[in-house]
Structure formats: structure tokens, C-alpha cells
Amino acid sequence: MSDQEKAQEQAKSTSNEKLKEPPQQPQPSVFAIPSSRRGINAVHVNAAREMVKLHTQGRNPPAARQTRGGGGGPTGIPSTSASSSLPITSAPPSTTSTFPSSSATPFPKVSIPLHHDETECKNPQCAHCGQIIIPSPQSSFPIQDKPSITVNSWSIYTTKKPILNSAELDSLTARFEFPLPEMIFGNSSVRIVDDDRGGSVEFNALDSLDTLEDECEFKVSYHEEWIKSRRSKQSAIKQEQGVKKDLTEFTDNLDGLKPYDWTYSTNFRGNVKGLELVRDETREIPIEKLTRPDPILFYDESILFEDELADNGISILSYKIRVMPSCLLLLCRFFLRIDNVTFRIRDTRIFIDFDTNEVIREYKVQQDQYDNVLKKVNKTMNEKDPKKLLRDPNWVSMNLPVILREVDVSK
């Protein structure tokens, strides 16, 4: 046998041995999961666990984080930096904080009392299981009204409670002779008190409804069609009953109620007590003080009343308050939108300078027809909902002309 034939025989025997050996399976990767199984990748599970761990550690106070996590957390951030990110409401009661200010006046004295007690929590601890025993609440008389925050001599009180129930609404029938809005937060309010002089400014829903006009100048877009349909429907009913009578006397006053402003357009400017305000049209709220990057010590907002005007628009009264080390700004806004009829905004702004104790109240009325505001909407911004901006009071206020502005300043 020649050398060439021997080489061919050897190659055939080698190939037969390779065919007899079982094929080698590829080595799976570390995080690979067979296609026959369903589940979450292991790296995703580990990431979820790390995220839960971060959230859990974030809820612990700074002292607990230092004892558990040592010098730094899993992200490498030292535990001491976590104390600076805590909200200002976590400060101990009756503490005095200083904040940087560009003015040369002394730093304000800020006091944020605790809501449950003036001292630290002293709830007992169970000797068996170690759990905290929360005692039943005890009533106190007289009722202690604690401010949300106090800066220098000014205290801010905010109360946010649910809408009035049926019993509370029935008790208001003697006070109001007209149907009330659908939602009234009659127990909610915001109050600013000058502890030194005893003056105060308060905004609430019930006092604002006392300022409504006797009649309303607006009617819904389909008012005439609705009157005609009512008359034709009642006429058909009477004809079926064999009664031939003019129904004008019944349809001229379909409501059967004393005329009232059904849009609830309040011109409420707040209950001012103990503060003498003088008209001064030359004064303006200092915008430069409000736009400075000062820390916000306290912020709150709430709705006082709201009504959808029988699906013809919206009528809403709300407030927002912002407290900074040097000043505060309170905005009480009435926003009215009657579809296809009009827009109306009535704003009352209260500005208080903590350095000079000066109070500035600005009352502004803006109004325009519905079609004029609709023309200013850029429909390319949101093709699915081109009227979205018409439901934004901030956008509407920037596109309404001012028809009245009055400024009062404290003496």
C-alpha cells in the first residue's frame, strides 16, 4: 500500500471516530435562561433588590443610616449628606434657622412646630414585644390652633378638610338663598396672622360666596334652544292632556328661584382684620424678591369650592401660598370658563415683606370672549386635544386682557 493510500485510510478512520462522538453543546452564558423556562433575568432581580434596599435605607433617619451603613451607602454617598436632603418640616420644634439673603437685614427667625406635641414623642414601649404603644387621642379645651409655620412675627395657618356633608349643607340654608356649588370645602381655609399687631388676613369658601352678585350677565350658548325645547315639550304634554293654555307664565321663570349668579363669580378679597390698607395704584408687588433663588420654607394649595356649571364649563376658587425667609405670597384665584361664551379670572394676591412688615394686596380682573381665547391656541401643540390649554388657568391668565387692577398697601 502506497503512502497516499495510507493517508486516505487514516483520514477516513478519524472522521468516523468524530461521527461516533456526541456533539458538544455550547456553554451557556452566566445569565442565560433556557427558552423552555419563563422568568426574570437574574441581573434584573439583583437590580430590583438593590433599588428596594436604597428606598428602605432612605426612609431611615440619618443616625440609623450611619450605624447600619457605616461611612457610605451602596452608591458611595456618605451618610452625612443625607441629612441635608431631609424636608424642613423634620426640624425640631421652635427651632431658629438662618438662611442666606442678599439683603443687609438680620436673618429671620423661623419656627416650625410639630403637629402632635410641642416636645419629642414620648409614647410608651411594650416590654414584651418592644412595639410602640400609641395611646388614644385626648381632647383639649380650649382647642389649640397651631400654625403651620412662623417667620418673625407672622404665623401661617392652613386647614384642609373634606367637602361639606349633607348635614353641614342643610345648616347653610338660612345663610344662602341660592343653590350652592357642587363641591364646597367649607372647613378649609388659609389664615395669616401678625402676632405683634394682632392683624390677620383669611380666605375661605363660605365668606367668598357671600360676595356674589344678585344676577348673572352670562347665559350658556344653547340657552335659547333649551328654552324653546322646554316650551315645546310642555306644550305637547298639555295638548295630550286636552289643556289649551299659554305656557309663557311657566317658562319665563323656569328655575322658580330667586335670581343669583349661577357662575359663582366671587369678588372676594379676603377677610382683613386689624390691618389698615390704603389704596395706592402706583405700588406693585416686588417681582425681583419673589424670583430670587431663596429656599421655600413652606408651600400649600387647596380648592375652596368647585362647580362644573351643569357640564357647561368650570367655576373654581382655589389658593396657593409660598413662604420664603424674606417674604410670602398668597394667591387666591377664581377661574371661570363657560364653553363657547367667556373666560374670567379674578386674582387676589397678598404679599408680605418680613423685613419691613409691609402688606400689599393686589386685586386683578381678567376677562375675554371664548372665541378670542380659542384663536390663541396653537393646535399643532397637541393635535389629540387642541383645547387642553383652555383648561389650564395659568395659560389662560397669560392670554386674557386685564380690565381692572386695584392695589392696597398697609400703613
Side-chain angles (χ1 to χ4, degrees):
M1 183 180 295
S2 61
D3 296 337
Q4 184 177 1
E5 292 177 352
K6 290 182 180 180
Q8 291 177 356
E9 288 294 332
Q10 187 176 1
K12 289 181 181 180
S13 61
T14 305
S15 61
N16 291 335
E17 292 178 358
K18 290 183 178 181
L19 290 175
K20 293 179 182 180
E21 295 178 356
Q24 296 182 356
Q25 297 292 338
Q27 295 295 331
S29 60
V30 178
F31 301 110
I33 299 177
S35 59
S36 60
R37 294 180 55 190
R38 293 183 178 180
I40 305 176
N41 200 308
V43 68
H44 295 162
V45 175
N46 186 52
R49 290 173 178 171
E50 292 292 337
M51 186 61 65
V52 172
K53 184 177 180 181
L54 289 175
H55 281 286
T56 304
Q57 292 181 351
R59 298 189 186 100
N60 297 328
R65 291 182 224 170
Q66 293 177 5
T67 55
R68 295 181 183 179
T75 57
I77 301 177
S79 301
T80 55
S81 64
S83 60
S84 61
S85 62
L86 290 176
I88 190 168
T89 54
S90 62
S94 302
T95 56
T96 303
S97 305
T98 58
F99 300 90
S101 177
S102 58
S103 61
T105 56
F107 294 133
K109 180 181 179 182
V110 181
S111 175
I112 307 175
L114 293 176
H115 293 285
H116 61 279
D117 197 357
E118 295 296 338
T119 58
E120 61 181 2
C121 183
K122 296 181 179 180
N123 292 339
Q125 188 175 10
C126 178
H128 177 68
C129 61
Q131 294 184 354
I132 300 297
I133 302 174
I134 301 177
S136 59
Q138 297 179 359
S139 60
S140 60
F141 187 81
I143 299 176
Q144 298 178 2
D145 191 9
K146 301 178 183 179
S148 300
I149 187 174
T150 300
V151 180
N152 291 343
S153 63
W154 294 91
S155 297
I156 294 88
Y157 300 80
T158 57
T159 304
K160 300 171 67 174
K161 292 188 177 182
I163 60 175
L164 299 182
N165 53 36
S166 58
E168 292 172 326
L169 292 175
D170 293 339
S171 64
L172 297 176
T173 54
R175 179 175 179 178
F176 302 102
E177 299 179 357
F178 54 85
L180 295 175
E182 297 173 350
M183 293 189 298
I184 304 179
F185 298 86
N187 297 320
S188 299
S189 64
V190 55
R191 182 162 52 99
I192 306 172
V193 180
D194 186 358
D195 298 329
D196 291 346
R197 295 180 291 180
S200 65
V201 181
E202 181 180 359
F203 289 86
N204 59 74
L206 299 182
D207 290 339
S208 66
L209 293 174
D210 286 331
T211 64
L212 297 184
E213 302 290 341
D214 293 335
E215 296 184 1
C216 178
E217 58 180 308
F218 298 120
K219 295 181 180 179
V220 294
S221 57
Y222 58 89
H223 175 76
E224 296 297 335
E225 290 79 2
W226 181 78
I227 290 291
K228 293 179 181 179
S229 65
R230 289 277 296 184
R231 288 177 176 173
S232 61
K233 183 182 298 184
Q234 293 186 9
S235 177
I237 294 175
K238 293 297 182 180
Q239 289 180 2
E240 292 179 359
Q241 297 175 355
V243 179
K244 295 182 179 180
K245 188 177 181 180
D246 186 13
L247 300 177
T248 305
E249 58 177 317
F250 299 103
T251 56
D252 284 343
N253 188 8
L254 294 175
D255 292 335
L257 298 171
K258 182 181 178 180
Y260 72 100
D261 187 357
W262 63 277
T263 64
Y264 304 105
S265 297
T266 174
N267 51 13
F268 187 53
R269 308 186 187 190
N271 289 331
V272 180
K273 299 179 181 179
L275 297 175
E276 186 177 356
L277 301 179
V278 181
R279 184 65 50 84
D280 189 354
E281 303 293 347
T282 61
R283 296 296 302 275
E284 293 184 357
I285 295 178
I287 304 299
E288 66 279 359
K289 221 172 187 183
L290 297 173
T291 55
R292 290 190 317 199
D294 293 341
I296 298 178
L297 306 180
F298 178 77
Y299 175 84
D300 195 10
E301 61 179 326
S302 179
I303 297 176
L304 297 179
F305 71 75
E306 182 177 353
D307 193 282
E308 294 185 354
L309 307 178
D311 294 334
N312 290 294
I314 188 72
S315 174
I316 182 172
L317 179 68
S318 62
Y319 75 83
K320 295 181 180 179
I321 184 171
R322 182 178 60 172
V323 181
M324 290 158 291
S326 60
C327 60
L328 72 80
L329 179 66
L330 169 64
L331 168 63
C332 184
R333 166 169 289 178
F334 171 77
F335 174 72
L336 172 67
R337 187 194 78 244
I338 305 178
D339 294 334
N340 304 319
V341 179
T342 187
F343 281 92
R344 172 185 286 172
I345 290 181
R346 293 178 177 178
D347 287 343
T348 301
R349 289 178 171 86
I350 303 293
F351 173 84
I352 299 179
D353 193 329
F354 294 144
D355 300 332
T356 61
N357 289 331
E358 185 182 40
V359 180
I360 301 177
R361 181 178 66 180
E362 180 188 64
Y363 178 72
K364 185 186 297 183
V365 178
Q366 299 173 266
Q367 188 171 317
D368 201 356
Q369 297 181 2
Y370 185 91
D371 295 336
N372 295 338
V373 181
L374 185 61
K375 294 177 182 178
K376 300 178 183 179
V377 177
N378 188 2
K379 296 184 178 181
T380 59
M381 296 177 60
N382 192 346
E383 298 179 357
K384 296 182 180 179
D385 190 5
K387 295 184 178 180
K388 179 180 179 181
L389 294 176
L390 300 181
R391 298 189 294 269
D392 185 3
N394 294 327
W395 183 88
V396 175
S397 65
M398 293 186 296
N399 292 274
L400 285 183
V402 179
I403 62 177
L404 176 64
R405 179 181 177 271
E406 296 177 354
V407 181
D408 299 326
V409 182
S410 62
K411 294 182 64 176

